[in-house]
Amino acid sequence: MPSVLVVEDDPSIRQSLIEVLAEQGYAVRSAADGFGALREVTQAPVDAIVLDLGLPDLDGGDALRMIRGISSVPVLVATARDDESEIINILNAGADDYLVKPFSGGQLLARLSAVLRRTGGAPPASAGGTVGAAPAQAGEPLRPTVVGELAVDPGARTVHLAGRELRLTRREFDLLAFLAHHAGQVVSKRRLLTEVWREPYVDDQTVDVHLSSLRRKLGERASAPRYLLTVRGVGIKLVAPR
């Protein structure tokens, strides 16, 4: 079982990454800052590191250079920073690959598997390009789904909340049905644009507008979510209220 160290200061993102990796067969350790990452690396070797750059104690670039001073472990940088010159500097500093947030669990797993193969390691046999339930294939109808008191029936194109039918636009329904099919999974806005809108190069704000409308119809707000939970820097997931 290959081991991965997740270095991420945001607790919700860190937990999401841990869950994605653990579900695919990785043994996962974590650290919330740069010095914690260095302690983990020196205490016990790992097969790969997923490293955020926005750490509270050290800049991620400095943490990477310090890690490189003591280990040749493969490092996949996962961060919101997308400046080309910074990406080049980080790769030149020793990163093996660079992933820009937001990203899907599938992207993370594919990049991590590729890094391990290139550096002589091996991903777990279960690791693939998707996380959890497989997405619908072309022509495969989405299944009716119940999440809490929310019932989504793609065949009838109906949505009921606590027994009351909601009136949704076509795009709102398609968005909610896709999230329901992947309930409990974090889905990136880019994936939603690719698989729901079929327009991956449209601005992410398009998704935000429809999510805001869906939230109003579900009786919630972004600041007080019940069903549509935002995982900052990663994406959105549909969950049952607690």
Side-chain angles (χ1 to χ4, degrees), residues 7 33-35 37-38 49-71 75-81 85-98:
V7 187
D33 53 40
F35 286 115
L38 291 168
I49 297 175
V50 177
L51 174 67
D52 181 35
L53 295 183
L55 301 175
D57 56 346
L58 289 174
D59 179 79
D62 294 332
L64 172 62
R65 293 178 183 89
M66 295 173 74
I67 289 170
R68 278 288 165 264
I70 58 175
S71 173
V75 177
L76 171 60
V77 169
T79 180
R81 301 181 191 176
S85 62
E86 180 157 20
I87 293 174
I88 292 171
N89 288 336
I90 289 296
L91 291 171
N92 287 335
D96 294 273
D97 204 351
Y98 196 106

Side-chain angles (χ1 to χ4, degrees), residues 5 29 31 34-46 49 63 66-73:
L5 173 63
R29 290 153 52 194
F35 286 115
L38 291 168
R39 284 195 298 271
E40 289 290 334
V41 172
T42 55
Q43 287 174 0
V46 291
I49 297 175
M66 295 173 74
I67 289 170
R68 278 288 165 264
I70 58 175
S71 173
S72 60
V73 58

Side-chain angles (χ1 to χ4, degrees), residues 8-14 16-17 52 77-81 99-105 107-108 186-190 204 208 229-237:
E8 167 64 61
D9 68 314
D10 187 293
S12 61
I13 296 177
R14 185 169 65 248
S16 293
L17 296 177
D52 181 35
V77 169
T79 180
R81 301 181 191 176
L99 191 56
V100 177
K101 297 175 182 176
F103 52 81
S104 68
Q107 286 180 293
L108 172 67
V186 181
V187 181
S188 71
K189 293 178 183 178
R190 189 57 46 191
D204 287 0
D208 292 333
L229 179 63
T230 297
V231 180
R232 185 164 61 88
V234 183
I236 189 89
K237 66 177 176 178

Side-chain angles (χ1 to χ4, degrees), residues 112-184:
L112 186 57
S113 293
V115 165
L116 286 170
R117 289 194 298 269
R118 287 199 305 269
T119 55
S126 59
T130 58
V131 183
Q137 303 298 317
E140 177 192 345
L142 299 181
R143 299 183 298 274
T145 305
V146 176
V147 181
E149 293 185 304
L150 183 67
V152 182
D153 187 339
R157 292 189 69 83
T158 59
V159 175
H160 289 82
L161 179 61
R164 177 176 60 87
E165 185 170 359
L166 302 183
R167 297 179 64 86
L168 305 182
T169 67
R170 179 178 64 84
R171 190 67 77 188
E172 288 169 354
F173 180 86
D174 291 343
L175 173 58
L176 185 59
F178 187 84
L179 290 171
H181 185 75
H182 299 84

